[in-house]
Amino acid sequence: MKLPRRIKANARNKIDAQFLLEKIPPSSVKLAFLDPQYRGVLDKQKYGNEGERQKGRALLPQMTDEQIADLVTGIQHVLKPSGHLVLWVDKFAMVEASHYTWAQDAKELRRVDLIAWNKIAPGMGRRARCYTEYAIIFQKEPTRAKGVWTDRGIMDCWPESADRSMHAHAKPIGLTYRLIRATTKTGDYVLDPCAGGYGVLEACKASGRNFVGGDLCG
């Protein structure tokens, strides 16, 4: 993949996600992760405890639904045919079906699977306490599994703790590694335009894949 000089592969790039996507060649990425920072669960549920338990998350730059939708459409553009997008959402976004809004203009993306991540530690909740987040798996057309998804041992309910001291949005590195190995080959490019704590970068290093991504926070 040929990238502009200011964007480095296998490195941390301090860069706007939309700008990054505009600089990546079309149909050049086999797998993308998107973990957008949205405020639905904080603003609409009004927990009021951001200064105590949600301080790290509350201080991160916030995205509107329109901005996230633009990112999903941009990812569709840079994915190879039959490439995958892993979109992370919390329980509130899942119940609100926010992913339908975010993907409404990405006509070539199809929802093909769902993985519930059991975080082990409890989170917020006025009713049921939140132990889970969700990875919605999209595939760019043509959709197929044989020869494209090679690991059938990935459980759709995945128990793994994550080190949130590294980043407020840290995701399970073990699951990330397995998804990368399942849907890409050595030397393929994996994209993360909202890289946060760069767990995807570390998983790419461990699996022999190339990483391209960045974050506004560096």
Side-chain angles (χ1 to χ4, degrees), residues 65-66 68-70 72-73 76 87 97-111 138:
D65 285 342
E66 291 75 16
I68 299 172
D70 286 343
V72 172
T73 302
Q76 172 189 255
L87 175 64
S98 299
H99 52 288
Y100 279 90
T101 299
W102 298 341
Q104 64 184 353
D105 294 325
K107 304 300 185 183
E108 296 180 68
L109 294 183
R110 297 287 179 265
R111 298 164 189 84
F138 291 82

Side-chain angles (χ1 to χ4, degrees), residues 74-94:
I75 289 171
Q76 172 189 255
H77 182 64
V78 302
L79 277 178
K80 291 183 176 183
S82 300
H84 290 87
L85 163 63
V86 179
L87 175 64
W88 283 104
V89 299
D90 61 16
K91 183 173 70 173
F92 184 79
M94 176 64 75

Side-chain angles (χ1 to χ4, degrees), residues 16-65:
D16 175 74
Q18 190 61 50
F19 179 82
L20 171 67
L21 288 172
E22 291 170 359
K23 299 302 180 183
I24 294 176
S27 301
S28 59
V29 171
K30 196 68 176 294
L31 172 65
F33 290 84
L34 180 59
D35 183 18
Q37 172 60 21
Y38 49 89
R39 293 193 53 87
V41 70
L42 296 178
D43 286 344
K44 295 182 182 180
Q45 298 288 5
K46 301 185 185 303
Y47 286 103
N49 63 351
E50 291 185 8
E52 300 172 13
R53 301 185 61 193
Q54 295 295 313
K55 183 177 180 180
R57 179 173 177 173
L59 293 175
L60 294 172
Q62 308 299 318
M63 295 181 183
T64 64
D65 285 342

Side-chain angles (χ1 to χ4, degrees), residues 6-21:
R6 66 165 294 185
I7 300 173
K8 304 297 183 184
N10 302 311
R12 296 176 177 233
N13 295 288
K14 188 172 184 179
I15 193 169
D16 175 74
Q18 190 61 50
F19 179 82
L20 171 67
L21 288 172

Side-chain angles (χ1 to χ4, degrees), residues 137-155:
I137 313 297
F138 291 82
Q139 188 176 29
K140 186 174 179 177
E141 295 182 335
T143 58
R144 58 193 182 94
K146 187 177 181 179
V148 179
W149 186 291
T150 60
D151 184 351
R152 296 186 64 189
I154 297 174
M155 298 177 292

